[in-house]
Amino acid sequence: MAIERTFSMIKPDATRRNLTGAITKMLEDAGLRVVASRRVWMSRRDAEGFYAVHKERPFFDELCEFMSSGPTVVQVLEGDNAIAKNREVMGATNPANADEGTIRKVHALSIGENSVHGSDAPETAAQEIRYWFSDTEIVG
């Protein structure tokens, strides 16, 4: 198995409900290690930059509004096949379709307020990690 890094974010709906520790525990219990973590309150500009890939999608404005509505926790996770493992632990975007025991099945409120975000590919992970962290902030 390949040790890799991925990006993870605990969204405002989850931080508002004080679920940071519970979600991080689920990630760690799945074998992922937090090697960088920071609590941030995204500006609208931060959200637009981070989600620029979705700029032409109809949900872009609503997404940016939601993501700048409260604190988030941005993290770098490390582990064997961390990208796939994180996505498995997160569960399907729609919590109604998420497997039992996944973060979204347990904690998400809706498709929009689904508690977490995670990178979907190595290139995306590298880009998203660079957006929020410098190399010196990832300490393993």
Side-chain angles (χ1 to χ4, degrees):
M1 294 190 187
I3 298 290
E4 64 186 3
R5 288 182 174 163
T6 192
F7 178 79
S8 174
M9 182 187 302
I10 302 173
K11 294 180 177 182
D13 64 290
T15 63
R16 213 174 272 121
R17 293 177 289 137
N18 202 31
L19 296 173
T20 301
I23 290 172
T24 300
K25 182 173 180 355
M26 292 175 81
L27 295 167
E28 291 178 333
D29 287 350
L32 295 166
R33 186 168 166 226
V34 178
V35 295
S37 182
R38 186 168 65 231
R39 189 176 181 95
V40 300
W41 194 315
M42 279 188 217
S43 67
R44 174 68 187 223
R45 177 186 245 171
D46 290 334
E48 288 172 352
F50 185 75
Y51 287 105
V53 67
H54 299 302
K55 189 172 175 81
E56 300 304 319
R57 301 244 176 128
F59 60 81
F60 180 74
D61 284 332
E62 184 179 346
L63 174 63
C64 292
E65 182 72 24
F66 167 63
M67 292 306 296
S68 60
S69 71
T72 63
V73 176
V74 292
Q75 299 179 319
V76 179
L77 306 176
E78 184 177 82
D80 289 334
N81 297 309
I83 296 167
K85 175 58 73 177
N86 184 41
R87 296 190 67 76
E88 177 185 321
V89 175
M90 287 190 317
T93 303
N94 182 344
N97 299 333
D99 290 340
E100 292 297 327
T102 62
I103 293 168
R104 289 177 173 151
K105 189 64 157 190
V106 173
H107 296 298
L109 299 173
S110 66
I111 293 174
E113 292 181 309
N114 61 24
S115 299
V116 288
H117 163 89
S119 302
D120 61 359
E123 302 77 24
T124 310
Q127 177 185 4
E128 292 178 339
I129 289 168
R130 276 193 313 274
Y131 193 87
W132 293 107
F133 295 97
S134 69
D135 288 343
T136 60
E137 295 174 299
I138 303 169
V139 295

